[in-house]
Amino acid sequence: MQNINATFTIAFRDIAKLLRDRTRIMASFIFPIIFIGVLGTSLQQNLAEGLGYNFLVFVLTGVLGQTLFQSTSAGIISLVEDRQNDFAQEMFIAPISRYSILLGKILGETLVSLMQIIGIVAFGYIMGIPLDIFSLLRLIPFVFVVAFFGGAFGVFVMSNLSDQRAANQIFPFILFPQFFLAGVFNPIQQLPLPILIASRIAPMTYAVDLLRSVYYYGKPEYDKTVLFNPALNLSVVAGLGIIFLVVGTYIFVKNERNK
């Protein structure tokens, strides 16, 4: 019971931090506005006839997957910074399981990312993007899967970082190239071989494609917008998520015990 209480306390702390952090809230919506509103609209006007599908819907579904993956993974990475402040020091020396800390962070950042994608979907409707409400509702269970995947990836990366400086230098280098390799803003069916290999290695690729494959399932645009079928995407996301979480948690707990 003590560990369960700790898990929920850490989760709600992350939500409270988001609500107090106006800069983070603004940043969470500025990037989607830029990429969907500016980049997406421009490319839609220039490529609409040749693509055969609405490019804004394509970009928005990609941004949903990217936001879920990035927000949860970045939230877990913040544990590196948390180690250096007073609250985190008390948290790490408290008589609770390190697994509870990680589960609480994943749960908290999942809830934070859900709040963000609700705003993104609302922005899409304000812009007049023709989103299918039934396809969006179909995404709900997979949204939690993608958020868990991002959190597990964050645990794996964070477990191998020694300090905040390393996190600030390495994590953006690992994450940002995946925006393009995963096809968040651009189709990636046809790529040069080296980039194709990098794209298929990038974990975010399967997070983004999972949401797209579920959203477009049964639609005429399916073959033009989706890389793999939903079952394959789900298997890769679940399998890699478990590996990242188990290995990352083991390394994290081992490092904490050795302090």
Side-chain angles (χ1 to χ4, degrees):
M1 183 60 67
Q2 185 178 21
N3 287 321
I4 293 176
N5 290 336
T7 297
F8 283 106
T9 299
I10 294 170
F12 286 116
R13 172 180 176 260
D14 283 348
I15 297 176
K17 285 174 62 179
L18 173 68
L19 296 177
R20 293 196 303 265
D21 191 346
R22 296 181 180 179
T23 302
R24 184 180 178 186
I25 293 175
M26 292 179 61
S28 300
F29 296 107
I30 287 175
F31 284 106
I33 290 173
I34 292 174
F35 288 116
I36 298 174
V38 179
L39 178 62
T41 301
S42 175
L43 292 176
Q44 169 70 10
Q45 292 175 350
N46 290 281
L47 302 176
E49 295 182 359
L51 287 175
Y53 57 87
N54 189 294
F55 190 72
L56 289 177
V57 176
F58 177 85
V59 172
L60 190 142
T61 53
V63 169
L64 292 181
Q66 170 255 317
T67 299
L68 288 165
F69 186 89
Q70 177 190 2
S71 179
T72 50
S73 60
I76 301 300
I77 296 297
S78 69
L79 269 176
V80 177
E81 178 182 357
D82 285 347
R83 287 192 182 116
Q84 300 177 11
N85 63 46
D86 294 337
F87 178 86
Q89 289 175 2
E90 296 176 0
M91 182 172 64
F92 282 107
I93 64 173
I96 57 174
S97 170
R98 296 294 184 266
Y99 299 97
S100 299
I101 296 174
L102 294 178
L103 289 176
K105 290 293 293 184
I106 292 176
L107 176 60
E109 294 303 328
T110 296
L111 296 175
V112 167
S113 65
L114 291 179
M115 296 170 64
Q116 293 174 349
I117 66 168
I118 290 173
I120 293 172
V121 171
F123 172 72
Y125 277 110
I126 293 173
M127 283 191 59
I129 299 176
L131 296 171
D132 183 351
I133 183 64
F134 296 105
S135 296
L136 287 176
L137 292 175
R138 198 162 56 195
L139 292 178
I140 292 176
F142 300 96
V143 160
F144 290 95
V145 174
V146 171
F148 163 80
F149 185 41
F153 177 75
V155 170
F156 178 74
V157 175
M158 180 272 300
S159 67
N160 293 281
L161 298 177
S162 57
D163 53 41
Q164 183 181 349
R165 181 178 179 182
N168 292 335
Q169 292 176 340
I170 296 175
F171 186 65
F173 177 78
I174 294 174
L175 189 66
F176 291 156
Q178 295 189 57
F179 287 14
F180 303 97
L181 293 174
V184 175
F185 316 113
N186 54 295
I188 55 173
Q189 277 84 353
Q190 303 293 331
L191 295 173
L193 183 59
I195 301 178
L196 178 66
I197 294 174
S199 172
R200 300 308 184 258
I201 293 175
M204 190 186 292
T205 297
Y206 302 95
V208 170
D209 200 54
L210 174 59
L211 292 190
R212 281 205 182 116
S213 62
V214 173
Y215 180 88
Y216 283 105
Y217 189 80
K219 297 181 184 295
E221 309 96 321
Y222 181 86
D223 291 334
K224 298 178 181 179
T225 55
V226 174
L227 298 176
F228 310 110
N229 65 66
L232 177 59
N233 283 319
L234 183 60
S235 298
V236 173
V237 167
L240 285 178
I242 292 173
I243 292 173
F244 287 149
L245 185 62
V246 171
V247 175
T249 302
Y250 171 79
I251 297 174
F252 171 77
V253 172
K254 181 180 178 181
N255 290 338
E256 287 300 312
R257 285 175 177 171
N258 291 336
K259 287 186 176 181

